[in-house]
């Protein structure tokens, strides 16, 4: 089944499936079950992070599927991320090795810098260190110094590739002007309310793949939010193709140039989110979905607004 899913090639020659399983907030065995099911369905791209505290569950699922002969290690792409309290260059290799220990694997496929800003280190598990006033303790480490330490991880074979997440256009330009190894990905919040077309175009120009987190805008059935999942107009597009509104939104994100990372631990949804490669949207459908673009973020990370590396002070 997975052979029919398109792959995209990176600027370093590696390749990745054009849909991935998101795992944020999947805990307590849910993440392991979701990953097992996703692999059975045909997913070969799993996205996690040190901050999610479920690398061990992803690793256990991957190892089980390797043991069962369902996949070989090289068939599956695992992305994880360096958290903000590990940005000091001398902590980067330690952080990556700790992550590999969590997975029980000897390399990851992609290691991302989760955010361009950094926190004070107060211990491995103190992921949001706060001061006496309850404010997050920011550090002003230059992300270029962190990046240079990440480049060494590739040389050491601890990760096949490196990339960034939540970098704006200026931060990307500065990184590209100063790096030895180009980032292969920029993972950003992206959905119809924040369609990121300008940042996607810039990434494309620089041969950087965009992965989309929160692609469905964290649906809330009780409140019928976000509107692009519950509106009659999107429902009508779904009816036209015999697809759900979620499938329509994921298809839209693929067609505007991203790899969506829908998070689910529901087996039916995991399957549904994967079935988006047998239809195409037309120009009218795109016009409807474009109309939801307000630029509003679900994840503004305002606690870090005082950091000089806070990414959302400019348009894109």
């Amino acid at each position: 089944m997975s052979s029919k899913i398109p792959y995209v090639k990176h600027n370093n020659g590696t390749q990745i499936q054009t849909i991935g399983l998101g795992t944020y907030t999947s805990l307590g065995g849910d993440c392991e079950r979701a990953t097992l099911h996703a692999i059975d369905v045909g997913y070969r791209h799993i996205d996690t992070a040190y901050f999610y505290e479920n690398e061990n569950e992803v690793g256990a699922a991957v190892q089980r599927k390797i043991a069962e002969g369902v996949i070989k290690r090289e068939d599956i792409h695992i992305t994880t991320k360096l958290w903000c309290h590990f940005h000091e260059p001398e902590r980067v290799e330690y952080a990556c090795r700790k992550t590999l220990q969590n997975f029980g694997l000897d390399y990851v496929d992609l290691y991302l810098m989760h955010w361009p800003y950094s926190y004070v280190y107060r211990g491995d598990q103190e992921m949001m260190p706060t001061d006496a006033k309850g404010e997050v303790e920011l550090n002003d480490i230059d992300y270029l110094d962190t990046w240079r330490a990440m480049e060494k991880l590739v040389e050491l074979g601890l990760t096949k590739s490196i990339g960034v997440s939540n970098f704006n256009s200026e931060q990307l330009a500065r990184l590209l002007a100063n790096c030895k190894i180009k980032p292969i990905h920029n993972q950003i919040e992206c959905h119809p309310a924040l369609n990121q077309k300008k940042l996607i175009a810039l990434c494309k120009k620089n041969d950087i793949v965009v992965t989309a987190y929160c692609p469905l805008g964290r649906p809330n059935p009780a409140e019928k939010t976000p509107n692009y999942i519950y509106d009659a107009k999107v429902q009508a597009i779904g009816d036209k193709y015999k697809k759900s509104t979620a499938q329509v939104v994921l298809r839209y994100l693929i067609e505007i140039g991203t790899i969506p990372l829908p998070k689910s631990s529901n087996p039916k949804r995991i399957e549904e989110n994967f079935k988006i490669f047998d239809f195409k949207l037309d120009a009218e459908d795109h016009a409807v979905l474009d109309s939801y673009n307000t630029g509003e973020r679900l994840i503004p990370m305002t606690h870090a607004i005082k950091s000089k590396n806070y990414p959302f002070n400019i348009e894109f």
Side-chain angles (χ1 to χ4, degrees):
M1 185 170 180
S2 57
S3 60
K4 294 184 192 140
I5 306 302
Y7 278 68
V8 67
K9 227 185 178 80
H10 297 129
N11 62 41
N12 65 357
T14 59
Q15 55 170 12
I16 196 170
Q17 212 175 44
T18 47
I19 176 110
L21 178 74
T23 60
Y24 183 51
T25 70
S26 278
L27 291 162
D30 274 357
C31 179
E32 188 175 345
R33 284 188 291 275
T35 307
L36 288 167
H37 187 63
I39 293 169
D40 285 341
V41 168
Y43 285 77
R44 297 293 178 262
H45 170 193
I46 314 290
D47 182 86
T48 181
Y50 182 83
F51 182 70
Y52 304 171
E53 298 185 280
N54 58 15
E55 290 171 323
N56 57 327
E57 293 193 37
V58 170
V62 167
Q63 288 179 71
R64 184 166 145 194
K65 288 295 158 191
I66 291 170
E68 288 174 7
V70 176
I71 50 168
K72 297 189 185 78
R73 172 64 186 95
E74 59 271 23
D75 297 335
I76 192 149
H77 176 106
I78 298 169
T79 297
T80 192
K81 309 176 192 85
L82 177 80
W83 188 242
C84 310
H85 65 332
F86 284 138
H87 275 214
E88 283 154 313
E90 62 275 15
R91 292 194 202 280
V92 171
E93 185 186 329
Y94 167 81
C96 185
R97 289 189 185 277
K98 194 174 166 66
T99 268
L100 292 174
Q101 214 177 332
N102 290 343
F103 281 119
L105 297 169
D106 49 13
Y107 71 90
V108 287
D109 298 275
L110 176 57
Y111 200 46
L112 301 179
M113 195 184 313
H114 208 144
W115 292 91
Y117 54 77
S118 56
Y119 302 152
V120 170
Y121 178 80
R122 297 264 181 249
D124 293 358
Q125 295 314 114
E126 285 279 319
M127 287 191 272
M128 300 289 273
T130 49
D131 61 19
K133 287 187 284 186
E135 287 181 17
V136 174
E137 295 182 287
L138 297 164
N139 215 337
D140 62 354
I141 296 155
D142 190 335
Y143 54 81
L144 291 182
D145 294 333
T146 309
W147 185 258
R148 288 184 191 108
M150 288 174 67
E151 289 177 329
K152 291 191 184 118
L153 304 176
V154 179
E155 291 159 28
L156 291 167
L158 302 179
T159 182
K160 300 267 185 215
S161 308
I162 48 176
V164 293
S165 182
N166 301 297
F167 270 51
N168 66 30
S169 59
E170 290 171 6
Q171 291 165 334
L172 277 176
R174 183 168 173 255
L175 180 61
L176 288 167
N178 291 284
C179 62
K180 271 196 308 194
I181 300 176
K182 262 177 81 163
I184 66 163
H185 278 204
N186 187 19
Q187 185 176 129
I188 55 176
E189 180 182 340
C190 186
H191 41 72
L194 183 72
N195 70 31
Q196 298 272 24
K197 287 190 181 183
K198 289 181 178 172
L199 191 51
I200 293 166
L202 177 88
C203 288
K204 195 172 182 178
K205 203 172 107 185
N206 288 289
D207 209 7
I208 296 167
V209 169
V210 172
T211 41
Y213 71 79
C214 295
L216 302 174
R218 298 194 168 166
N220 182 330
E223 291 179 16
K224 297 258 185 283
T225 58
N227 51 3
Y228 50 80
I229 293 288
Y230 296 98
D231 267 11
K233 284 184 291 185
V234 186
Q235 196 75 57
I237 297 171
D239 293 345
K240 185 164 71 168
Y241 301 109
K242 297 188 170 53
K243 295 288 178 184
S244 69
T245 54
Q247 288 171 313
V248 168
V249 168
L250 294 173
R251 183 71 218 168
Y252 168 75
L253 292 173
I254 283 176
E255 291 182 12
I256 65 169
T258 78
I259 295 179
L261 302 169
K263 178 259 153 182
S264 186
S265 43
N266 174 321
K268 271 201 167 60
R269 295 246 167 76
I270 289 171
E271 289 167 39
E272 182 187 293
N273 293 341
F274 201 64
K275 293 177 181 163
I276 54 171
F277 298 98
D278 55 355
F279 74 110
K280 282 194 169 75
L281 301 173
D282 62 30
E284 281 171 39
D285 304 332
H286 273 268
V288 170
L289 287 153
D290 286 345
S291 74
Y292 293 98
N293 185 42
T294 59
E296 196 181 331
R297 291 181 185 279
L298 293 168
I299 319 288
M301 295 303 254
T302 43
H303 69 265
I305 209 155
K306 291 177 183 159
S307 168
K308 64 175 189 207
N309 294 321
Y310 180 73
F312 306 141
N313 285 326
I314 60 171
E315 189 202 345
F316 72 97

